[in-house]
Amino acid sequence: MKSGLTQATGAVRRFLGTRANERLMLMVVGFAVGVCSGLAAVALNRSIITLTHWLEPLRGTWWAFVLPGCGATLSALFLEKLMREGAGHGVPEVIYSVTRRGGLLRLRTSFSRLVSSLLTIGSGGSAGPEAPIVASGASIGSNIGRFLGFNDRRRITLVGCGAAGAIAAVFNAPIAGIVFTVEVILDEWTAINIVPIAIAAVAGTEVSRLLQGNQIPFAHTAFSITMPDLIAAAGLAIACAAVSVGLSRLVRASHGFWAKVPAGIWWRAFLGGCVVGGIGTLVPSALGEGYDAVKEGIEGRFATGLLLVSVILVAKIVATATTLGSGGSGGIFAPALAVGSLLGLAFHRALITVWPSVGWVGEGCFALLGMAGLISGILQAPLTGLFLVIEITGGYEVILPLIIVSMVSSTLCHALEPASFYLKDLMAGGPLVRPGSDARILADLKVTELLERDCLVVPETMRLGELVEIVKKSHRNHFPVVEPGSDRLAGMVHLDDVRGYLFDTGLRNAVVVAEIMTANPAIVSPDTGLIEILALMDRTRSFSLPVVDNGRFLGMVSKGTVLDQYRKELIVQSSK
Amino acid sequence: MIGRLFHVFRNTPLGRETYLQSLYFCNQSGLSLKVYVPLETRFLMYLEHHVVQVDLDNSYLTSPENAQDHARDLADEAGVKIEFFEPTDYTASTLPEVSVNFQYMCCPRSISDLSSKIGLGYIGPRVRVIVHEARFPVLVPSPVFKEWHSLAVFFGGSANAFDALKHALALHRTTGMPLDLFTIEEGGRDQAHLENRLKDEGLAEEVHGCLRDWHVKKGGTLAKHLYDVPHDALAIVGAYGHGLIKELVFGSKMEAIQANLCNNLLIVGPRCHLPH
């Protein structure tokens, strides 16, 4: 009996120790993260609908324009004073944590952006809830991973699970969730992360379907695509790229403008919100997420007239830039979809005006193409735009023009603006280091880990003869020289510096180390990055460099040690 | 000792006291000092498995125009060379990150609360997280600057207590200060047992070489025994070495010590690196 129990225990332990179990564990936890993300998405979605419904009776009053201002102020106060976080949507923070910080995210991010974006969007601000939900889901994944003591690699996978579950739940679109996560958040597709992410996306979608019903967000309409439509799609892609870059730059310019307004952050948010409210009084479609306009556009029910669509398009762009730039909380996902659909409608109407005799497909199709073009352009993620539109409309008829628009738009945007909307701020702070890249591995190595402390340190007053005796017994080529009685670096002696004196015994008692050393050698500090150190080694053609902190010699760092540690880190980071 | 002590400078009289303590610690231990003069009330510390957002109270931003001068003048007076820390990395462009590439950190009992709230027995939640997660020991200074001339280690035989002892021995090697051990016999861990553990760890010879007194207590409360700790000793104590349940049921020794002892404390958390 006892023997059987022992055997069973041993089998369980062996199973727990296997890699298969590690994957199983990630799948189970990924499922839980997907469910949590789905719940967060549904909660925010229902809350926005409820708040919008409550405020509906006030929309008809003359002072309704202050509603977005009040919402934005409360949102800014909540984030700044209560949560002590900056405004914004949080996706750059998620990408930053994945690329630089092993997927570590603050716990407060799991709910702070949900509340702030509810206040902003529910009151009429032109922003989307998707990015805050992604930040929330990612933070849930990160903190569950931390609680379970997961390493960086697994924690990053759970961050991806949170993001996938969130997008999948918001749009009832699991494939879009997976593709968005892989393309935008993680930028890598490996066997170990794709399965848990897919499970999380399915879990998020199911939670959304259970609580909100299984329905595609936008009605499916059948379209018949002809050759002229495909050619026109290429033209729309160019327009989408131009508007994507324009919207992206306008949001940044707006941010810069509002940052210069000499007022507190909540005053700025209030003023910005009032401006948006004013725009909304004239053009109601510019308020909120803008999905009503998208629905009408796809179904071909949008108000007629090229000029009217163009005015609404411009109003939506300005309202979005003002909301996000003045301190409102929310993302650009939903506004990009709305702007894209409006652009598609305007483009279609322009085509009909110029070539009325061509049998163009219905304008709803161009609204779809515009949505895909804007998302692909702004996020520089063509597959996300493609799959999102296919899934949320439930039809594959427009796949060919969708591919054209998504690919051309993202390629042009990348040519005009190398960093996507989410990556712009991150790349301003330094090169983006994606997981598994050389730069990432080097960034994870610290000088203190590579420090060679067993150096033979010599004082600058030492006679050459004594140094030669040390050289004879040593295998090293570099000898740090310190000031007598201290550990302050005075210079370096290389074996080549001594070579000339080796056979001249007469000089051995006449020359001291200070006379042959290289004073003011190239040094690095414990805070210097490995990439910088390797560049310095290349520039100075040295194999090793002294590490000095506040004038004190700590040790040496050499190419050999860097390579050795690089190899070990590579094994850790690439273990699947 | 080789390494750096990190200090967040508060340009107030209270901040000066804690800063003087950091300077004294560096002077004694031979560490260099890295000083952060914050220009914003919040920053992030990415520890190995945790990200801590430190929300400083506004007193940290008092007179920023002369904060660096004050810090430099005090350091010159103490004969300690300092370096100022300038954040280069930001999370989402708004939150500066503080590098955790140092060997010790000086942290008052709370860094997020008004100084009027800080008292004996109160440890702020951020400081608690830092102690729990950091790879470096945390120096919790006494409210008013006072020199220390000996090392007092609370040694109950746990893994954390051994880590605390190793840090104490490293400090002894640099400062030459005598060492006192404080042990409360409990759970069958008497002095003979601990002696054997010291031998097993290869520390017995070094400990006895610098040991001034080994205070072994039986029964009674911890607070009662703390009176014997010299008032001018640096108290070195391991922290949070037990599991969550045990900490919840029996409480933390470190918490009890910091609530009763107004000495300077060096707290060695469960994830601390050992000294070189």
Side-chain angles (χ1 to χ4, degrees):
Chain A
M1 177 73 180
K2 195 178 174 184
S3 157
L5 191 66
T6 313
Q7 278 178 358
T9 313
V12 170
R13 280 189 183 152
R14 278 196 298 279
F15 176 67
L16 287 172
T18 60
R19 191 164 290 168
N21 184 59
E22 184 188 322
R23 292 188 178 197
L24 186 65
M25 177 86 161
L26 265 180
M27 287 178 211
V28 172
V29 181
F31 174 78
V33 171
V35 169
C36 294
S37 296
L39 288 172
V42 172
L44 180 58
N45 192 25
R46 303 313 300 173
S47 307
I48 288 175
I49 291 171
T50 307
L51 186 57
T52 310
H53 183 67
W54 281 351
L55 295 178
E56 200 56 49
L58 303 178
R59 297 256 178 245
T61 58
W62 66 268
W63 49 269
F65 73 95
V66 299
L67 287 176
C70 294
T73 308
L74 288 174
S75 165
L77 278 172
F78 174 78
L79 273 185
E80 272 295 314
K81 292 289 170 192
L82 223 59
M83 292 290 103
R84 301 181 73 90
E85 285 199 87
H89 43 77
V91 174
E93 203 174 314
V94 174
I95 299 173
Y96 179 80
S97 88
V98 166
T99 55
R100 298 285 298 274
R101 301 294 174 193
L104 280 174
L105 283 163
R106 289 162 294 165
L107 182 61
R108 66 184 80 175
T109 308
S110 61
F111 59 90
S112 62
R113 311 248 173 218
L114 294 183
V115 178
S116 62
S117 62
L118 164 67
L119 293 167
T120 301
I121 302 165
S123 63
S126 177
E130 298 78 14
I133 295 174
V134 167
S136 171
S139 171
I140 290 169
S142 168
N143 283 284
I144 288 179
R146 184 176 65 75
F147 181 75
L148 294 174
F150 281 6
N151 61 20
D152 290 10
R153 186 120 197 114
R154 290 192 200 172
R155 199 164 45 225
I156 286 172
T157 302
L158 290 187
V159 167
C161 289
I167 287 291
V170 173
F171 292 111
N172 189 12
I175 299 175
I178 297 168
V179 173
F180 170 81
T181 302
V182 169
E183 201 173 32
V184 178
I185 303 290
L186 304 184
D187 197 27
E188 67 165 357
W189 182 299
T190 62
I192 197 162
N193 66 23
I194 199 66
V195 178
I197 286 170
I199 288 171
V202 171
T205 311
E206 277 307 316
V207 166
S208 168
R209 287 178 181 178
L210 253 153
L211 299 173
Q212 304 189 114
N214 180 13
Q215 43 189 291
I216 50 169
F218 305 112
H220 173 224
T221 313
F223 297 109
S224 174
I225 307 293
T226 57
M227 185 51 78
D229 297 321
L230 291 180
I231 296 166
L236 177 61
I238 296 169
C240 284
V243 173
S244 298
V245 173
L247 176 59
S248 190
R249 287 183 182 172
L250 196 63
V251 171
R252 292 180 66 79
S254 167
H255 198 273
F257 168 78
W258 286 100
K260 285 180 195 155
V261 173
I265 194 157
W266 44 91
W267 270 111
R268 290 203 293 260
F270 179 74
L271 289 174
C274 287
V275 170
V276 174
I279 295 171
T281 308
L282 301 170
V283 187
S285 304
L287 291 179
E289 301 158 301
Y291 283 145
D292 289 338
V294 175
K295 272 182 190 166
E296 290 172 8
I298 294 171
E299 291 164 13
R301 296 187 289 110
F302 203 84
T304 53
L306 171 61
L307 189 64
L308 182 66
V309 175
S310 305
V311 168
I312 296 173
L313 172 66
V314 172
K316 185 69 188 169
I317 290 173
V318 174
T320 303
T322 309
T323 301
L324 299 181
S326 62
S329 183
I332 201 154
F333 219 102
L337 288 175
V339 169
S341 71
L342 291 168
L343 179 65
L345 290 182
F347 193 80
H348 185 268
R349 290 175 186 184
L351 284 176
I352 288 178
T353 308
V354 180
W355 292 289
S357 57
V358 179
W360 302 107
V361 69
E363 66 177 10
C365 176
F366 274 75
L368 289 180
L369 297 179
M371 287 160 65
L374 252 289
I375 286 291
S376 303
I378 282 203
L379 307 187
Q380 294 187 12
L383 293 179
T384 302
L386 183 65
F387 283 102
L388 181 71
V389 170
I390 287 173
E391 273 193 296
I392 62 179
T393 56
Y396 278 87
E397 292 91 351
V398 291
I399 186 83
L400 286 181
L402 268 181
I403 292 174
I404 293 173
V405 171
S406 300
M407 302 302 157
V408 173
S409 174
S410 66
T411 308
L412 285 176
C413 281
H414 185 69
L416 295 168
E417 195 82 72
S420 73
F421 180 76
Y422 289 150
L423 301 184
K424 190 88 181 168
D425 283 339
L426 295 180
M427 289 178 75
L432 198 65
V433 280
R434 288 293 193 176
S437 63
D438 280 353
R440 169 62 193 273
I441 294 165
L442 288 175
D444 281 356
L445 295 175
K446 299 279 172 281
V447 173
T448 42
E449 298 171 51
L450 306 169
L451 211 54
E452 295 168 8
R453 295 177 193 275
D454 56 340
C455 312
L456 291 164
V457 181
V458 296
E460 57 185 341
T461 49
M462 179 183 271
R463 290 186 188 282
L464 180 62
E466 294 169 82
L467 179 63
V468 169
E469 289 306 313
I470 289 173
V471 170
K472 276 185 194 169
K473 292 174 195 161
S474 166
H475 296 293
R476 289 191 170 270
N477 294 333
H478 294 89
F479 301 90
V481 183
V482 294
E483 292 171 8
S486 83
D487 51 6
R488 307 197 75 76
L489 188 76
M492 290 290 294
V493 173
H494 190 266
L495 191 57
D496 290 343
D497 302 327
V498 188
R499 212 184 300 274
Y501 302 95
L502 280 177
F503 304 104
D504 194 345
T505 49
L507 286 174
R508 289 193 180 179
N509 285 327
V511 175
V512 291
V513 168
E515 294 173 79
I516 59 168
M517 72 180 186
T518 306
N520 302 318
I523 57 168
V524 295
S525 90
D527 294 326
T528 314
L530 256 290
I531 295 171
E532 209 180 317
I533 289 176
L534 289 174
L536 184 62
M537 282 177 174
D538 284 345
R539 269 203 312 280
T540 56
R541 296 185 178 195
S542 29
F543 185 77
S544 58
L545 290 170
V547 182
V548 177
D549 182 28
N550 224 346
R552 297 170 63 190
F553 173 74
L554 301 183
M556 300 289 289
V557 59
S558 72
K559 271 184 184 171
T561 321
V562 173
L563 188 64
D564 195 35
Q565 286 295 324
Y566 174 90
R567 194 178 55 83
K568 287 178 185 163
E569 188 68 24
L570 182 66
I571 292 168
V572 170
Q573 290 201 14
S574 60
S575 60
K576 301 284 187 278
Chain B
M1 288 167 79
I2 288 175
R4 289 183 290 183
L5 173 83
F6 180 72
H7 184 99
V8 183
F9 185 70
R10 186 185 335 218
N11 196 16
T12 62
L14 177 71
R16 180 178 55 200
E17 299 298 319
T18 54
Y19 184 59
L20 286 171
Q21 201 62 61
S22 284
L23 291 169
Y24 183 77
F25 190 89
C26 287
N27 245 339
Q28 296 300 318
S29 61
L31 295 167
S32 56
L33 185 59
K34 195 100 176 175
V35 181
Y36 178 39
V37 179
L39 296 174
E40 297 173 62
T41 53
R42 54 194 172 197
F43 62 84
L44 291 183
M45 291 175 80
Y46 281 94
L47 304 169
E48 196 168 12
H49 293 288
H50 210 298
V51 51
V52 184
Q53 179 171 333
V54 178
D55 301 308
L56 300 168
D57 82 72
N58 283 327
S59 67
Y60 275 91
L61 304 188
T62 308
S63 313
E65 68 282 356
N66 61 16
Q68 284 210 357
D69 292 339
H70 280 176
R72 200 176 287 112
D73 290 347
L74 287 168
D76 289 346
E77 221 169 278
V80 175
K81 277 214 160 193
I82 59 167
E83 255 187 290
F84 288 104
F85 171 78
E86 301 289 346
T88 51
D89 292 330
Y90 288 80
T91 294
S93 76
T94 50
L95 282 167
E97 290 174 22
V98 164
S99 154
V100 291
N101 193 17
F102 39 79
Q103 284 63 46
Y104 292 87
M105 178 178 181
C106 176
C107 207
R109 282 181 155 77
S110 175
I111 48 178
S112 302
D113 300 285
L114 290 174
S115 48
S116 57
K117 199 176 161 185
I118 303 169
L120 211 57
Y122 176 78
I123 280 200
R126 296 284 165 268
V127 178
R128 204 170 264 131
V129 174
I130 292 171
V131 169
H132 211 287
E133 300 289 335
R135 308 281 283 180
F136 45 81
V138 176
L139 173 69
V140 176
S142 55
V144 178
F145 168 66
K146 65 179 200 177
E147 297 183 354
W148 37 272
H149 301 107
S150 66
L151 307 166
V153 180
F154 292 87
F155 184 65
S158 67
N160 259 22
F162 270 99
D163 288 349
L165 182 59
K166 285 170 188 168
H167 277 279
L169 291 173
L171 274 170
H172 163 77
R173 286 194 286 272
T174 318
T175 63
M177 288 181 187
L179 179 75
D180 291 309
L181 290 183
F182 288 83
T183 299
I184 298 175
E185 286 188 350
E186 54 186 8
R189 288 175 172 175
D190 57 8
Q191 193 173 1
H193 169 79
L194 294 176
E195 283 276 13
N196 287 334
R197 294 284 312 278
L198 284 176
K199 277 180 197 151
D200 292 345
E201 293 280 333
L203 295 172
E205 197 178 331
E206 190 175 4
V207 168
H208 286 290
C210 59
L211 189 63
R212 183 169 64 182
D213 208 346
W214 191 336
H215 304 257
V216 181
K217 310 286 181 186
K218 284 179 189 167
T221 60
L222 177 67
K224 192 180 112 184
H225 302 311
L226 291 177
Y227 194 83
D228 291 341
V229 177
H231 77 98
D232 61 346
L234 171 69
I236 304 170
V237 55
Y240 307 127
H242 304 295
L244 181 68
I245 305 289
K246 203 169 176 186
E247 296 273 345
L248 282 173
V249 176
F250 298 109
S252 158
K253 284 269 194 308
M254 183 278 287
E255 298 269 0
I257 289 167
Q258 69 84 19
N260 289 283
L261 204 63
C262 51
N263 293 39
N264 296 292
L265 296 175
L266 185 69
I267 305 178
V268 181
R271 296 185 197 275
C272 268
H273 273 311
L274 292 176
H276 291 294

